[in-house]
Amino acid sequence: MLKVISWVNEIRGAARKEPNLKLGRPVLEYLARVWHSPHAMSELPKAYEPTEVEKSWYQAWIDGKCFEADPSSEKPAYSIVIPPPNVTGILHLGHVLNNSIQDILARRARQKGCEVLWLPGTDHAGIATQTKVEKQLREEEGKTRRDIGREAFLEKVWEWKEKHGGIIINQLKRLGCSCDWSRERFTMDEEYSKWVSKVFSDLFKQGLIYRGKRMVNWCPVSLTALSDEEVIMKPQKSKLYYMKYELVDEPGEFLEIATTRPETLMGDVAVAVNPTDERYGKYVGQKVRRPFPAAEIPVVADEHVDPEFGTGALKITPAHDKADFEIGVRNDLAIIDVFHADGTVNCPEVKDLDGLDRFVARKKAAAMLEELGLMIKVEEYENKVGFSERADVPIEPRISMQWFLRYPAVDDATKAVAEDEISYCPAHWAKTYANWMNGIQDWCVSRQLWWGHRIPVWYRKEKSEDLQAAESLTLGDLEAGDLHVSTEPPADPENWIQEDDVLDTWFSSWLWPFATMQNVGEESDLVKKFYPTADLVTGPDIIFFWVARMVMAGYHFKGELPFKNVYFTAIIRDIQGRKMSKSLGNSPDPIDLMDKYGADGLRFGLMRIAPVGSDVRFDEVQIEEGRNFANKIYNACRFRRMAGSDSRVDFDIVASKSLRPYHLDILARCDALAMKLDIAYAEYKFNEVGGQLYDFLWSEFCDKFLEAVKGDLRDDASEEQRNTTLGVFDTVMARYLQMLHPYMPHLTEELSSRMGYLGEGEFLMEKLLPSNGLLDGVSAGLVSEAQAQADAVYETAGRLRNLKAEYRVAARKDVSFVAKSGPAWVKDESETIALLVGAESITRDESYLPEQGTPGAVTAAGEFFMPLDGLIDVEAEKSRLDKEIEKVQKEVGKCRGKLGNEKFVTNAKPEVVDVERGRLSEWEGKLEQLQEMRTNLG
RNA sequence: GCUCGGUUAGCUCAGUGGUAGAGCGCUUGCUUCACACGCAAGAUGUCACUGGUUCAAAUCCAGUAUCGAGCACCA
């Protein structure tokens, strides 16, 4: 079956040639013929076509249950939990990078003999999902969620989730992710939700969760509170309005105030000045007139006021500003809320403003002040304004009843990272983490949404109004029996009313590492085997949202850390360094990229440019490189197949008597590669691993080894030569494909299978990576001698090619070289050197006396000459060189003239002069070279 | 204001206390019986700047400039 899958391409190739081919016996006969034909692969497409191959192998792995973790396994455990993507999401490049890394780690761990659990799933993403469904409801039915009610709305969200929720999962599959899909979780699964309720209820009973009226970040579009982390500060061009309030006791005297928000004037309850500010000391205790609605408000002193800013006097609106709120508390001021929840003005006393949107009201209020003669001036001003992360509108500081969490296990969590029990890679993120942990603020966990985990709190019906309006809610109310907080609803639901709010999405995400492995109140083999997890791979942008909170949850609920290592990926930017975003349209669709370059190409290309620590600028060219690399490997194997279809992967290196330097050299380099990869993996240097894999295959294997041994595969080569070379090829390639597998899983599985490197029914992805080297048992002295010889040959080939190019005979293959001196072994290799150089022959002649001007080169393999007689038309070459020299001399003259011109040097820009100098030395160098060649010709 | 990171070829980026690297791009030559998604040859650098440590600094240290990120404040 598997073989058949691997033959898909051959069938397609065959279909092209024999369109009448039908399935069944004729196909098998045809395949047998093709497979054993020495040119089997040459009948295949010259370029690797990944699409079908990737699809087939992914299905084969699924069918073979290769991704499923066995908690009863004796093997050491290795586990990762996926950072659950939003269920509404579609794959972007950040996901590709992040999940490729996880897949690489998982596949590598399997090869190293671990039992691997890579646990996948999705996040319900409260606001994001609800917003999408609300939008659809508005567009399709012209209704709001309130029109249809909570229950019907939630039904719609679930429907939507069923329809679109699988998209990103399928995209991850397309990428080749080896997640254990049989254990896929969703944060709103019934069992998972039980964890959320349990944790909430426990924390409440521990006194860590409380409810109270506080100043929170309010999103006027989503109509919910947000945590501090969901607010993004953005610089905004706004205006600073200078206005004045008249003193009640001194008519005609005014107190000047600067503000960016005149629309909150109706909520002003005081004017504050700094107690040390001598200008205003006399006013403290007096009253000023608020123009609309007319009122007399006090002047108070508060240290928060910066005398340097604006006029040094600050209007106090406790309902609409966090700092003002605190000043209000300190000075016992009233709170006047002048906005509706959606950000429109709620002030019936001021008809002109009532009902206006806050930004319209701002202009209107300013105009009204102008009319009253109370506006002094307006300045352009840039300040920072908090924006709602999801809705992308300025948030409104607002006092409302919310639930808060006092973070648990803060000390343990801080210490774990500081003392490297949890290691961060790159390590510098530990500092960012520590900074946040040190200034940690209570977490507003309630959201005024419908899609999410509803807070598991019930109020006794007859007291519910009082309780819900109460300034605070604590354990006392629970003990009084008026409150029910539990994972289970009350037994007599008709007497209770459940809390309306749902929980912040992250309140479920922070339980992810263990809540995915275990149900509440149940023993779990999975947890025993796989928790704590080994590595967490995520972006540094969610270090507070997710990582820090998971660490605290791990310590508080499980008594230990949730993961041992955290690898923070780079953030992918576009070529201009901007963050990828839909609105900029600079975010390429990974699916398009996979269509064009294959999943393996995309993975490899991205991994090679993802450095540890810094951001990465994405360029499609890099993905193209990944595809080209896949094609290179494919063609190396295709070449191998043309020399014979039988696998010689069992070739006995140690017993072989006919190994040439190139064989030993590539075997040694393959062993060295294995060691380099071990080191790079240990340091999570994925770009280094990619680079090593790339360089080995392309520079060492193809450019050098394969070219050097091509002669062994020609028709005139001996059977032994041929077998040795095929044996070494297969030995190295089989091992190499295994090492490459985590990066390019589909291609390597395909080629290993097609090349016959696998046993019956065996998968490459399940095959252990051997710990032995290919050259174990071979004398080290023999190997290093061989490598020195191989190096000498490659160096010599390079130098002789160089000579050919210099004398413009690069295209000719009839060049003959003379080897005048050199070590004895070179005689055996001269044919290979000639092959590498593209020369007719290299003749050993110790008595050779080169004519004057014969170009030559001295290398580790001896002294070589390229006799020019008959090779080039000496006279023609002379005159070509003369012409060339004349031309270059002219250029040199031009440059010298320019630089000799005092006016040019003094007046021109320094960089222009520099360019000219550079140009001069360039031309001079060229001139010297040409003159030397000309002299050599006599 | 505090913290962190970057500054290396035209571009994107590696790099190490000891002669400066890759890919792309560029120039030249190749359809050579694996690969033009390829082969071969070539050109290209004050490693941001200024000091210090050192036999030796692009690399370590300090400062400056500049770009970026995060946190805090912003009437």
Side-chain angles (χ1 to χ4, degrees):
Chain A
M1 177 63 202
L2 295 173
K3 291 281 181 197
V4 171
I5 288 165
S6 77
W7 289 340
V8 162
N9 266 6
E10 290 184 14
I11 295 170
R12 299 170 84 218
R16 240 170 256 141
K17 284 181 188 284
E18 299 181 26
N20 295 328
L21 203 67
K22 293 215 172 66
L23 282 176
R25 204 177 160 73
V27 174
L28 295 176
E29 277 171 7
Y30 176 83
L31 284 176
R33 211 168 67 234
V34 165
W35 196 249
H36 295 293
S37 123
H39 296 286
M41 273 183 108
S42 66
E43 297 192 6
L44 292 175
K46 282 165 116 179
Y48 176 55
E49 290 170 4
T51 313
E52 283 305 314
V53 171
E54 289 176 351
K55 223 161 110 186
S56 312
W57 278 112
Y58 200 81
Q59 192 55 47
W61 290 324
I62 295 276
D63 293 344
K65 299 193 186 305
C66 299
F67 304 158
E68 288 183 28
D70 175 11
S72 66
S73 162
E74 297 288 317
K75 293 193 266 183
Y78 178 85
S79 54
I80 306 183
V81 287
I82 204 169
N86 290 355
V87 70
T88 60
I90 51 163
L91 199 71
H92 58 66
L93 280 173
H95 291 123
V96 174
L97 176 64
N98 180 276
N99 288 289
S100 294
I101 290 172
Q102 292 175 72
D103 195 45
I104 286 164
L105 289 169
R107 287 177 185 271
R108 174 86 176 170
R110 286 191 196 95
Q111 292 186 316
K112 289 278 182 177
C114 291
E115 185 64 29
V116 171
L117 170 65
W118 181 12
L119 215 165
T122 47
D123 190 293
H124 67 281
I127 300 182
T129 309
Q130 174 162 328
T131 307
K132 278 191 188 175
V133 178
E134 278 186 288
K135 190 178 164 208
Q136 181 190 288
L137 188 65
R138 205 166 46 242
E139 282 169 3
E140 289 178 7
E141 302 177 34
K143 289 180 183 164
T144 69
R145 67 177 152 127
R146 284 174 212 287
D147 292 337
I148 66 172
R150 187 165 191 148
E151 218 164 292
F153 179 74
L154 285 179
E155 227 166 84
K156 282 221 177 286
V157 185
W158 277 108
E159 257 172 47
W160 201 88
K161 185 250 170 191
E162 291 312 315
K163 200 168 157 198
H164 302 279
I167 293 178
I168 194 159
I169 294 298
N170 284 325
Q171 291 177 319
L172 289 173
K173 290 178 178 171
R174 170 88 192 270
L175 188 61
C177 294
S178 59
C179 304
D180 184 349
W181 299 111
S182 72
R183 294 193 163 88
E184 188 184 333
R185 298 285 187 266
F186 176 51
T187 49
M188 292 268 281
D189 283 344
E190 202 182 328
E191 291 299 337
Y192 195 103
S193 301
K194 274 190 192 158
W195 268 114
V196 176
S197 305
K198 177 181 161 45
V199 157
F200 183 95
S201 138
D202 288 354
L203 288 168
F204 183 78
K205 287 166 189 167
Q206 289 157 11
L208 292 169
I209 281 182
Y210 59 91
R211 197 193 66 167
K213 255 191 172 171
R214 298 292 151 94
M215 179 68 78
V216 294
N217 309 300
W218 183 264
C219 174
V221 168
S222 309
L223 299 179
T224 177
L226 300 173
S227 66
D228 295 344
E229 288 70 33
E230 288 165 288
V231 177
I232 298 166
M233 301 304 279
K234 292 192 196 177
Q236 289 294 301
K237 284 207 169 93
S238 52
K239 292 185 165 62
L240 190 57
Y241 300 88
Y242 286 78
M243 45 179 254
K244 54 188 183 181
Y245 279 177
E246 189 176 26
L247 286 146
V248 173
D249 294 337
E250 298 176 47
E253 281 288 308
F254 292 88
L255 194 53
E256 294 181 3
I257 294 159
T259 181
T260 52
R261 302 203 61 189
E263 76 278 15
T264 63
L265 187 147
M266 303 80 77
D268 284 4
V269 293
V271 172
V273 297
N274 193 290
T276 62
D277 195 331
E278 287 168 10
R279 292 172 295 176
Y280 300 122
K282 56 186 173 183
Y283 298 133
V284 174
Q286 291 200 31
K287 292 202 162 172
V288 295
R289 288 187 201 285
R290 185 182 69 194
F292 48 84
E296 295 179 0
I297 57 175
V299 178
V300 300
D302 194 282
E303 303 212 320
H304 172 81
V305 182
D306 176 5
E308 303 289 313
F309 189 92
T311 63
L314 170 63
K315 74 186 198 67
I316 304 300
T317 325
H320 299 293
D321 183 281
K322 209 175 170 187
D324 287 10
F325 177 77
E326 282 155 18
I327 293 172
V329 170
R330 283 197 287 273
N331 292 278
D332 200 22
L333 300 169
I335 295 170
I336 304 173
D337 190 340
V338 295
F339 288 134
H340 292 289
D342 64 357
T344 56
V345 173
N346 174 20
C347 188
E349 297 144 279
V350 183
K351 292 266 177 310
D352 288 344
L353 293 174
D354 192 37
L356 291 181
D357 177 79
R358 51 192 169 145
F359 300 111
V360 179
R362 179 174 300 173
K363 284 184 188 150
K364 180 74 183 164
M368 287 163 70
L369 286 167
E370 189 81 49
E371 253 171 60
L372 294 169
L374 295 173
M375 185 69 81
I376 302 161
K377 60 175 175 177
V378 182
E379 279 179 359
E380 294 297 321
Y381 180 64
E382 189 176 297
N383 63 343
K384 281 186 194 164
V385 177
F387 274 65
S388 154
E389 190 197 21
R390 288 287 162 199
D392 200 32
V393 293
I395 57 107
E396 197 58 56
R398 185 168 197 246
I399 293 168
S400 61
M401 188 70 81
Q402 302 291 345
W403 293 85
F404 296 88
L405 168 68
R406 208 169 289 135
Y407 283 103
V410 174
D411 288 346
D412 283 342
T414 308
K415 231 171 81 183
V417 174
E419 292 176 3
D420 211 32
E421 276 173 64
I422 296 176
S423 4
Y424 275 13
C425 180
H428 68 81
W429 288 112
K431 196 148 187 173
T432 305
Y433 171 88
N435 285 344
W436 188 74
M437 292 298 283
N438 287 334
I440 200 161
Q441 302 280 316
D442 289 358
W443 176 11
C444 175
V445 294
S446 47
R447 296 289 179 275
Q448 288 64 52
L449 304 172
W450 288 349
W451 176 242
H453 301 94
R454 195 160 171 181
I455 291 180
V457 169
W458 286 261
Y459 307 99
R460 186 170 287 286
K461 210 168 207 170
E462 55 267 32
K463 294 201 180 174
S464 79
E465 269 181 39
D466 290 348
L467 286 170
Q468 291 197 48
E471 283 287 314
S472 71
L473 206 59
T474 54
L475 279 175
D477 301 290
L478 186 67
E479 282 153 16
D482 299 332
L483 218 51
H484 176 90
V485 181
S486 166
T487 51
E488 299 301 323
D492 49 342
E494 64 280 7
N495 296 323
W496 298 85
I497 288 177
Q498 190 176 0
E499 166 69 48
D500 270 334
D501 289 356
V502 301
L503 288 161
D504 182 4
T505 298
W506 297 100
F507 193 86
S508 58
S509 317
W510 75 325
L511 313 175
W512 188 250
F514 61 86
T516 46
M517 291 193 196
Q518 182 179 24
N519 293 339
V520 174
E522 282 176 20
E523 286 285 299
S524 158
D525 293 343
L526 221 50
V527 160
K528 269 188 213 142
K529 180 79 183 169
F530 294 110
Y531 189 90
T533 62
D535 294 320
L536 177 77
V537 180
T538 190
D541 47 336
I542 55 173
I543 191 165
F544 310 137
F545 275 117
W546 197 45
V547 180
R549 287 167 178 166
M550 275 193 291
V551 177
M552 289 184 274
Y555 277 102
H556 191 68
F557 302 115
K558 297 297 287 180
E560 60 180 326
L561 41 79
F563 31 71
K564 297 183 198 91
N565 303 294
V566 184
Y567 179 86
F568 290 105
T569 61
I571 290 177
I572 299 185
R573 299 172 178 283
D574 71 1
I575 199 77
Q576 287 149 39
R578 300 173 304 181
K579 247 185 170 170
M580 299 247 170
S581 79
K582 259 187 237 159
S583 54
L584 282 173
N586 61 351
S587 173
D589 182 352
I591 298 297
D592 291 345
L593 292 172
M594 283 192 261
D595 287 343
K596 265 171 98 174
Y597 305 112
D600 288 340
L602 173 62
R603 288 167 63 122
F604 195 86
L606 207 53
M607 289 314 300
R608 272 196 73 207
I609 55 159
V612 182
S614 50
D615 294 354
V616 59
R617 288 178 194 223
F618 176 80
D619 189 343
E620 193 168 321
V621 169
Q622 293 152 333
I623 308 306
E624 199 178 324
E625 224 177 278
R627 175 202 59 181
N628 295 352
F629 183 54
N631 189 54
K632 186 77 180 175
I633 306 165
Y634 167 84
N635 269 293
C637 290
R638 185 163 162 259
F639 172 67
R640 159 68 183 84
R641 293 293 307 195
M642 289 173 73
S645 56
D646 50 332
S647 158
R648 294 182 186 273
V649 75
D650 294 328
F651 181 74
D652 189 342
I653 301 287
V654 179
S656 172
K657 298 267 187 295
S658 52
L659 290 172
R660 301 174 64 209
Y662 323 102
H663 297 131
L664 286 165
D665 181 58
I666 199 65
L667 288 160
R669 286 181 190 275
C670 187
D671 284 349
L673 173 66
M675 284 169 62
K676 287 183 203 163
L677 294 193
D678 276 338
I679 294 167
Y681 271 118
E683 294 170 356
Y684 296 90
K685 288 186 176 171
F686 298 103
N687 57 335
E688 169 80 15
V689 172
Q692 292 292 351
L693 288 164
Y694 186 92
D695 290 346
F696 174 83
L697 191 283
W698 207 302
S699 313
E700 308 301 338
F701 192 83
C702 289
D703 289 350
K704 290 185 184 147
F705 168 72
L706 225 45
E707 293 302 328
V709 299
K710 261 184 180 168
D712 294 349
L713 303 178
R714 294 207 167 141
D715 293 341
D716 57 351
S718 77
E719 193 65 18
E720 191 181 357
Q721 267 178 299
R722 179 188 190 79
N723 285 345
T724 303
T725 286
L726 293 183
V728 171
F729 183 107
D730 286 345
T731 305
V732 172
M733 183 56 79
R735 182 66 67 91
Y736 175 78
L737 290 174
Q738 230 181 330
M739 290 194 273
L740 177 65
H741 176 261
Y743 278 65
M744 303 186 118
H746 312 90
L747 171 79
T748 51
E749 189 81 70
E750 162 79 357
L751 289 177
S752 298
S753 161
R754 185 194 285 273
M755 299 293 287
Y757 297 159
L758 298 172
E760 189 67 33
E762 188 181 28
F763 285 103
L764 180 68
M765 77 159 286
E766 289 189 326
K767 193 171 174 172
L768 287 184
L769 191 60
S771 52
N772 70 305
L774 300 176
L775 282 175
D776 288 359
V778 179
S779 127
L782 200 68
V783 174
S784 61
E785 193 189 336
Q787 286 203 270
Q789 291 177 3
D791 276 349
V793 168
Y794 295 136
E795 185 211 346
T796 305
R799 296 289 297 279
L800 299 189
R801 278 195 295 245
N802 189 305
L803 285 185
K804 281 178 73 185
E806 216 168 276
Y807 284 84
R808 307 170 61 77
V809 294
R812 296 179 61 167
K813 289 185 200 163
D814 57 350
V815 185
S816 285
F817 289 86
V818 177
K820 184 170 163 59
S821 66
W825 61 262
V826 175
K827 225 168 27 187
D828 296 334
E829 305 305 334
S830 54
E831 219 172 295
T832 303
I833 298 175
L835 180 74
L836 287 170
V837 175
E840 169 74 25
S841 66
I842 294 177
T843 318
R844 179 78 170 209
D845 180 1
E846 282 168 28
S847 61
Y848 175 72
L849 289 173
E851 276 177 44
Q852 204 213 342
T854 304
V858 180
T859 76
E863 198 181 356
F864 296 84
F865 290 96
M866 182 172 74
L868 289 175
D869 29 294
L871 197 58
I872 56 172
D873 182 336
V874 177
E875 289 312 313
E877 185 66 5
K878 273 183 189 170
S879 71
R880 185 189 71 83
L881 283 172
D882 286 339
K883 271 185 202 157
E884 193 82 357
I885 286 168
E886 201 178 319
K887 229 168 81 188
V888 173
Q889 269 168 339
K890 257 186 204 166
E891 292 294 337
V892 171
K894 256 197 241 169
C895 289
R896 284 195 181 138
K898 237 176 173 180
L899 287 165
N901 182 336
E902 231 173 276
K903 272 188 186 166
F904 170 74
V905 176
T906 42
N907 295 342
K909 282 186 185 169
E911 55 263 36
V912 173
V913 179
D914 279 349
V915 165
E916 205 56 42
R917 287 205 184 100
R919 204 171 281 163
L920 174 63
S921 69
E922 203 173 298
W923 285 118
E924 280 175 340
K926 190 150 192 182
L927 183 63
E928 201 178 315
Q929 198 186 345
L930 288 169
Q931 278 169 338
E932 197 191 319
M933 285 168 69
R934 180 64 183 81
T935 314
N936 283 344
L937 289 177

